[in-house]
Amino acid sequence: MRIIRYLLGHKAAMALATLLLVALVATDLALPTLTSDIVDVGIQQAGIEHVATDRMSAATHDAIADRLADDAQAAQLFAEGYEADGDAYALTAYGREHLAALDQAITPAMVAIHFGSDAAQAPGDAVLTQQGIAAARAEYERLGYDLASMQMGYLLRIGALMLGIAAVGMALNIAVSFIASRTGARIGRDLRSQLFGRVVRFSEAEIGAFSAASLITRGTNDVQLIQNVSIMLVRMVMYAPIMAVGGIIMVMVTNASMGWVIVAAIVAVFCVIGVVFRLANPKFKAMQKLIDRVNLVARDMLDGLPVIRAFDREAFEEQRFDEASARLMRTQLFTNRVMTFMMPTMMLIMNLTSVAIVYVGGLYIDAGTIQTGDLIAFITYAMVIIMSFLMLGMMAIMLPRANVAAQRVDEVLAARPAIVDPPNPRKLPAQVAGRGAEIAFHDVGFRYADSDECVLEHVSFTARPGTTLAIIGPTGSGKSTIVKLMERFYDVTEGSVTVDGIDVRDLAQADLRATFGYAPQAAFLFSGTVRSNVAYSDEAMPDERVQKALAIAQAQAFVDERAEGLDAPIAQGGSNVSGGQRQRLAVARALATEARAFLFDDTFSALDYKTDALLRAELDRSLGGTTRIIVAQRIATIMHADHIVVLDEGRVAGQGTHDDLMASCGAYREIALSQLSASELGEGGAAA
């Protein structure tokens, strides 16, 4: 059981909780016994606990001594148990130490003296004991004791003891609950931390295999379920067996002859639990996947809300969400109904058990085998035992669902990222400050793990330090994949990608990615401010560096227009800025790094031609020593690059300068003429 393994990671807390639970069970089991004493001794026996009275008249003492004369051991015990005290006899310290033996020795004599010799022959030990207590009461009355005060004193003393035990039990309960909650919270914290640490190291392949919606559910709903069940395991599952064993021991002490009633009740409880388990367990297993589905549909709707509204598909999406939600609702309703059925059934079993115990116990009381207080204690112990097994049964139903959640969490934790650092990573050679990196593809082939079709085949090119390399091609030709291979978001299937002559697979990922400033195709912004987004690589980045990056990215103007300036708020995903502004902030975020190569994956597509030209000119002016790789769809964006790579269906269709490609590459010429006129293509200034 995976959840048990999580708990075993907190052995000290579990050991302490076990000790506290044993003490808690001791307090819980002591109260019914004291309740029995209140009824039997405090009420029925007027507070008189022993046949051996504290004081005894001389006549009674002498009469008992005469009756015990034939039993030397009993006579010796009685002689040492009492000593003369004026005109009476008082119980000695020795007598108090041996009260149980003294009671047994003098009970027949006390009964015979006060009620006649025939009374001593009454059948049943319990009856004889009660007659002995009645004789002791008569003796106290003969000596002039205030029996009402004796009774009240006993009741107050036992009541105070019960309150003290209850207070200790409450303190122990709070301590156990604190340890359970703290342990559960730590398990949840550790699992969330491990999940997050593992997920942020996943490549895009692992993210796609699990899906973002499922990873969110596993990190929230599943972990929360594990945390709650862990608390219940400490609080209930560890408590219930101890309580059940203790209850059984107390029942055996009270009256073992009525144990068959409890056995029958426990069998009935397990029958009900077995039926519930068989019905509910398959639904519990399916529930987590249904939660995943609801999460996925809700995520799609929220992310695609503008598109949904634009195409008037609200009704369709509502229906899609209702279907997913309805399936989850039906499953939850079924399990809830099954669980709801269980409690009334259990209460019926418990009440029938109480009736059976009262009926059978009444017969035993009538026969003089037990007293009324013992019956009350027996009923309490029986309920304790049944409730303990009921708690275990309920946890047996909850554990499979929690185990499914733990299995889903473990699947993520057990997944090994496809992209890992080598055992002995190489270091990039020391470079002159401001010098760009050399990036080269050597006969690279690549296919995704779930596909047999190659995305790239025999791709080779080199981006020289201090130059601009552009990549262009039709949609789906593999342009963005090339950038991802440079960043090592994926590993090549064939060939190699090198940075400064070193295969990227031989470098630590942190060292490799510190070489690049990356502006992705989807210009995602984090919730925060302009400053926090641009200075994402370094929270302590000075404002001067942030301002410089914004100026190069042509974003300074619209930032200055906002009253908050660098502290202007940015919504999650950058939803409160335009597409062009979002792209420029993403470019500024890349430029704010101390990178030696900058990767712009179609990050100028939302810019107008003028802003595009100004941004590229500023890049050339400010970042002349670095390597710049631009992926673009527009010819105007890349035609002035030092080197252009043309992709077509994953292969290099041509590479060279703009003029070379216009003359030698049909694919490039076709793209160019579809966007610009021949005169614009021949005049660089107009195209820029």
Side-chain angles (χ1 to χ4, degrees):
M1 189 69 70
R2 290 176 172 85
I3 300 225
I4 303 299
R5 190 178 73 244
Y6 298 148
L7 287 171
L8 290 178
H10 302 267
K11 294 185 179 65
M14 293 300 96
L16 180 58
T18 302
L19 292 175
L20 292 175
L21 284 171
V22 171
L24 177 60
V25 167
T27 61
D28 289 342
L29 294 178
L31 291 175
T33 301
L34 293 175
T35 303
S36 174
D37 290 341
I38 288 284
V39 174
D40 291 342
V41 179
I43 297 175
Q44 290 186 338
Q45 297 174 193
I48 300 172
E49 301 178 72
H50 299 282
V51 178
T53 57
D54 292 339
R55 289 178 64 81
M56 186 180 293
S57 66
T60 302
H61 178 273
D62 294 342
I64 293 175
D66 290 341
R67 287 181 174 273
L68 296 178
D70 296 335
D71 188 341
Q73 185 177 358
Q76 179 67 25
L77 174 65
F78 181 68
E80 295 182 9
Y82 282 91
E83 62 182 3
D85 182 18
D87 58 350
Y89 284 82
L91 194 63
T92 64
Y94 177 85
R96 294 185 188 280
E97 291 177 4
H98 300 82
L99 268 176
L102 194 58
D103 283 344
Q104 186 176 0
I106 70 172
T107 294
M110 283 285 286
V111 172
I113 291 168
H114 284 278
F115 302 113
S117 58
D118 293 339
Q121 306 302 317
D125 291 339
V127 173
L128 183 60
T129 299
Q130 289 300 308
Q131 289 177 337
I133 293 295
R137 180 174 181 174
E139 184 66 23
Y140 278 122
E141 288 177 342
R142 177 183 295 178
L143 294 173
Y145 275 72
D146 186 351
L147 294 180
S149 297
M150 288 180 61
Q151 183 178 33
M152 185 56 66
Y154 178 84
L155 292 174
L156 291 175
R157 177 164 56 85
I158 299 300
L161 180 59
M162 292 180 71
L163 287 175
I165 292 175
V168 171
M170 181 181 69
L172 292 170
N173 218 327
I174 293 172
V176 172
S177 297
F178 175 79
I179 293 173
S181 299
R182 189 178 180 85
T183 303
R186 284 181 171 176
I187 289 173
R189 178 202 62 190
D190 293 344
L191 286 178
R192 280 188 288 269
S193 178
Q194 292 172 29
L195 278 172
F196 185 79
R198 180 53 55 89
V199 170
V200 296
R201 288 171 175 78
F202 278 171
S203 67
E204 294 188 18
E206 286 81 41
I207 297 292
F210 285 104
S211 85
S214 180
L215 288 173
I216 291 172
T217 303
R218 293 172 198 237
T220 53
N221 184 274
D222 288 354
V223 172
Q224 186 66 41
L225 179 59
I226 292 169
Q227 180 175 327
N228 291 339
V229 172
S230 297
I231 294 172
M232 292 197 305
L233 278 171
V234 178
R235 189 64 191 87
M236 294 172 59
V237 175
M238 291 175 62
Y239 172 79
I242 301 172
M243 178 63 87
V245 171
I248 291 171
I249 292 173
M250 297 304 295
V251 162
M252 298 297 290
V253 171
T254 303
N255 191 334
S257 59
M258 286 198 294
W260 65 270
V261 179
I262 298 176
V263 173
I266 292 173
V267 171
V269 166
F270 274 107
C271 288
V272 174
I273 290 173
V275 172
V276 172
F277 183 83
R278 188 174 182 84
L279 292 174
N281 192 45
K283 298 296 183 181
F284 279 135
K285 290 183 177 180
M287 196 177 298
Q288 300 306 112
K289 292 182 179 179
L290 294 176
I291 294 173
D292 274 354
R293 177 62 184 169
V294 172
N295 195 354
L296 176 64
V297 174
R299 185 183 176 88
D300 281 348
M301 289 177 62
L302 293 174
D303 289 343
L305 198 56
V307 178
I308 294 170
R309 290 173 177 168
F311 286 87
D312 194 25
R313 298 289 284 175
E314 288 93 339
F316 172 78
E317 292 297 334
E318 286 177 5
Q319 181 181 358
R320 194 161 72 102
F321 182 80
D322 285 345
E323 288 176 359
S325 182
R327 290 183 63 191
L328 177 60
M329 178 198 70
R330 287 193 294 270
T331 304
Q332 289 178 330
L333 278 177
F334 179 85
T335 55
N336 288 341
R337 285 167 180 163
V338 170
M339 298 299 289
T340 302
F341 160 81
M342 186 171 68
M343 275 317 290
T345 306
M346 293 299 178
M347 293 305 298
L348 177 63
I349 292 172
M350 292 176 66
N351 289 330
L352 289 176
T353 303
S354 297
V355 171
I357 291 172
V358 170
Y359 176 77
V360 175
L363 298 178
Y364 284 127
I365 291 174
D366 186 58
T369 306
I370 62 174
Q371 298 185 55
T372 306
D374 292 334
L375 177 61
I376 295 173
F378 189 91
I379 293 173
T380 305
Y381 290 132
M383 295 303 102
V384 163
I385 295 169
I386 294 172
M387 283 301 297
S388 297
F389 282 101
L390 174 59
M391 284 191 287
L392 289 174
M394 291 180 66
M395 288 306 302
I397 294 171
M398 291 295 296
L399 278 175
R401 183 184 175 192
N403 196 49
V404 170
Q407 182 178 359
R408 284 159 50 87
V409 169
D410 283 351
E411 284 176 359
V412 179
L413 297 178
R416 294 291 174 243
I419 308 300
V420 295
D421 288 343
N424 299 300
R426 297 177 62 185
K427 291 290 185 181
L428 288 168
Q431 299 291 338
V432 178
R435 184 180 183 275
E438 181 180 277
I439 305 165
F441 274 53
H442 306 280
D443 197 29
V444 168
F446 175 75
R447 69 171 60 90
Y448 289 103
D450 57 352
S451 174
D452 295 330
E453 184 178 349
C454 285
V455 178
L456 297 175
E457 293 182 88
H458 305 295
V459 175
S460 298
F461 62 82
T462 301
R464 304 291 178 187
T467 64
T468 299
L469 181 139
I471 303 173
I472 194 169
T475 301
S477 59
K479 302 185 299 297
S480 294
T481 301
I482 284 181
V483 176
K484 291 177 181 178
L485 292 176
M486 291 178 187
E487 285 273 9
R488 208 188 166 207
F489 294 154
Y490 295 97
D491 275 338
V492 298
T493 307
E494 299 172 355
S496 64
V497 179
T498 62
V499 175
D500 291 333
I502 301 176
D503 194 317
V504 295
R505 290 168 292 191
D506 294 332
L507 295 169
Q509 295 176 69
D511 292 342
L512 171 66
R513 288 163 189 165
T515 305
F516 299 121
Y518 176 50
Q521 186 175 23
F524 180 82
L525 298 180
F526 297 93
S527 58
T529 64
V530 171
R531 177 187 284 104
S532 66
N533 272 277
V534 177
Y536 186 71
S537 62
D538 180 8
E539 295 180 357
M541 186 181 294
D543 286 353
E544 293 77 10
R545 193 160 136 204
V546 175
Q547 298 281 7
K548 181 180 178 181
L550 288 170
I552 297 173
Q554 306 301 305
Q556 187 68 59
F558 78 79
V559 172
D560 290 341
E561 289 174 359
R562 305 187 71 167
E564 303 92 340
L566 294 179
D567 294 320
I570 299 295
Q572 183 179 8
S575 59
N576 62 336
V577 294
S578 69
Q581 291 172 339
R582 190 159 52 246
Q583 280 194 340
R584 280 177 279 171
L585 288 174
V587 170
R589 179 171 58 201
L591 296 174
T593 63
E594 296 179 345
R596 297 172 49 234
F598 293 94
L599 312 179
F600 302 105
D601 186 5
D602 202 15
T603 49
F604 306 141
S605 59
L607 305 182
D608 60 84
Y609 281 95
K610 179 181 178 182
T611 304
D612 185 352
L614 290 173
L615 197 158
R616 286 185 288 105
E618 191 62 32
L619 288 177
D620 291 338
R621 187 182 69 81
S622 302
L623 306 174
T626 62
T627 306
R628 299 170 299 284
I629 297 176
I630 300 175
V631 174
Q633 298 278 3
R634 296 196 308 215
I635 288 290
T637 300
I638 57 93
M639 63 185 296
H640 298 291
D642 298 301
H643 193 79
I644 301 172
V645 177
V646 183
L647 291 181
D648 188 16
E649 295 184 355
R651 291 176 173 268
V652 176
Q655 53 182 311
T657 64
H658 169 70
D659 292 336
D660 294 339
L661 292 171
M662 287 295 292
S664 62
C665 182
Y668 181 82
R669 186 167 53 252
E670 182 180 347
I671 295 172
L673 291 174
S674 70
Q675 296 182 17
L676 300 174
S677 66
S679 60
E680 289 174 318
L681 291 169
E683 296 178 3

